[in-house]
Amino acid sequence: MLVHLSRIKFGAFIILVAVLFIVAKNEVSSIRSVVKGNLNAVARLSDATRLDREFLNFVNLAHARYEGDMYVKPQELQMAFDLLWARVNTQLGSSYTKGIKSLEDGAGLIKELSESLKEIEPLVHNLANNDTSDMRAIELLDEKYSTPVSDLVQRAYEEMTNRSVNAASAQRTTALTLERLQWVFLLVGIIGFLMLRSELQGIRKLNEELTRQEAEIQNYAYTDSLTNISNRRHFDEQMARLSAEPVGIDAHLLLIDLDGFKQVNDRHGHSVGDELLAEVALRLRRAVGDANVLARIGGDEFGIILIAGEQQARATAATILASLQRPIELAQHTVLINACIGISGTRGRTACTTTLLREADTALYTAKASGRGQFQFYKDSPLVDQTASIVSFVTRTNRKSPSPT
Amino acid sequence: MLDRLLGALLFILLSLPANVSHATEPAPLFTIQGKIASPEAVTVTPSDFTKLAPFEIKTVVDTLGSGTHHVKGVLARDLLKHYGATGTVLRVTGLDGYVIDVPLNDLLQYDVVLANEIDGKELSVRDRGPAWLIYPVSQHPELDDPIYAARAVWQVTRIEVN
């Protein structure tokens, strides 16, 4: 019964939406046709105005030529006539709804004008060639048409003005209707929303549960339970992801080794050592920020993947060292420790996990060798040259080795 | 492409002696200027049209009475490409002083023709030539619209690429 009722409701809802949609569409298309009609009226006014101007231009030039004004060149007169000819015959050929023909008396006037132009055509030719023997037809053209043509412009102008007024009011009405429809649509939307809400809520709850469970399992698998930062597994996965990135990504690997952790552990016991590690992790997190990967990758060894350039890596390392050098207050003890940092960068290469780790490790070794509380970039490490020379030595010996053949 | 090029070359070679003997410049169609390869306005003549692939279309033409017409000329986009046009809007001017902006997009989207011949007759000023921008209205009914009718400039005398 319930299902049946909701089906009827749903059907009614769909029909209501469909009807509203059709009404809205009709309103919009009626606006469009009003605007189109308006455009046609503008075109008519433009045509009538141009006809008027071109007619006067030709008549004036013909007069001037007749009066002996030799500044009016034959080509100029001919061009004026041709333009008028084109205008009139264009209007003759245009469809009824578009051109001047649709204006009151427009069609008859255009037809007559077209005939008259054909009649005076030979005269224009004569006039261009300075034969002014019979100009009566051109005089008559002026007498016959100049007033009707300018009246035509007036009518086109009036039509245009009326249309503008009508169109403006029509558009206002339609805009009002649409505005009202907007609210009806909103109402329909609310009904629809209420009908679907319980189902949507069910789905949302399921989704929330799914998200929560996913987060929990991720957290469990990727977090170091002692320090609440990433564990070795997460670190390794993130390193692998970095290796998959295209060449050119600017990233730095920071390996941090605590100095004095072992002593704290030995003197105060494991629980104090654990407390110390948790506090160190907090300080590291503050120095590194949430966006970068911070992991505990060994007993007292931490790793940071910094998606940043050398300058920021240097700044971060300095911040870390400064923060770790401050006394650490634990529940029952205040301890002092220190750390060394080894840094390797992608430097425009494709990040290779093993290379980055090896280089950072070498740099860390150098840092430790030069004393406590130091950071060292692999590229600046004095051991680099040594390694490089070993490599080149190996390459050289390989080359010098005799070939099997 | 190559045969078209050779054809054009052959045509130029053949037409050269004729031009020399008559010693008359062909009547210009219109000028093209603005954002084109040449820093100055270029005068386009009917013989320039023959350097481009001819284009013909059968379509109704607004104000040319009912029925379809054989419209012949070149594709407007071909012509613009030929002169290295780089703009987005064409300011097209007619002999009667009519001016309108035509979006370059129209010419890319539709086969708009710069026509100099309709129904086998070369267009004079009276026929609204010597060049007429004609939209393929029969092929695309949506072009039967006051907006496009206004852009179909006849008696084209100047094209300014902006």
Side-chain angles (χ1 to χ4, degrees), chain A residues 343-361:
Chain A
I343 309 168
S344 64
T346 48
R347 307 199 299 273
R349 306 167 297 179
T350 307
C352 165
T353 309
T354 27
T355 310
L356 280 178
L357 275 170
R358 186 170 44 77
E359 289 180 352
D361 212 37

Side-chain angles (χ1 to χ4, degrees), chain B residues 34-112:
Chain B
K35 286 185 183 168
I36 57 169
S38 157
E40 283 159 33
V42 178
T43 303
V44 181
T45 63
S47 71
D48 291 322
F49 264 34
T50 59
K51 291 174 198 161
L52 298 163
F55 191 82
E56 200 176 341
I57 197 168
K58 212 175 159 187
T59 179
V60 293
V61 179
D62 187 38
T63 71
L64 213 59
S66 54
T68 54
H69 299 270
H70 280 282
V71 175
K72 231 172 128 178
V74 297
L75 276 172
R77 59 168 172 272
D78 283 359
L79 182 106
L80 289 170
K81 198 179 164 196
H82 180 76
Y83 289 101
T86 55
T88 54
V89 172
L90 306 177
R91 175 152 291 187
V92 185
T93 310
L95 277 174
D96 58 353
Y98 182 80
V99 183
I100 195 161
D101 284 341
V102 177
L104 203 72
N105 233 15
D106 280 9
L107 317 187
L108 301 176
Q109 200 176 346
Y110 303 107
D111 290 340
V112 180

Side-chain angles (χ1 to χ4, degrees), chain A residues 217-224 230-240 295-297:
Chain A
I217 195 78
Q218 281 229 346
N219 210 29
Y220 182 76
Y222 287 137
T223 307
D224 175 45
S230 296
N231 61 10
R232 179 85 206 207
R233 183 188 295 134
H234 190 225
F235 180 79
D236 286 344
E237 271 193 31
Q238 291 300 311
M239 282 298 285
R296 178 167 168 243
I297 54 177

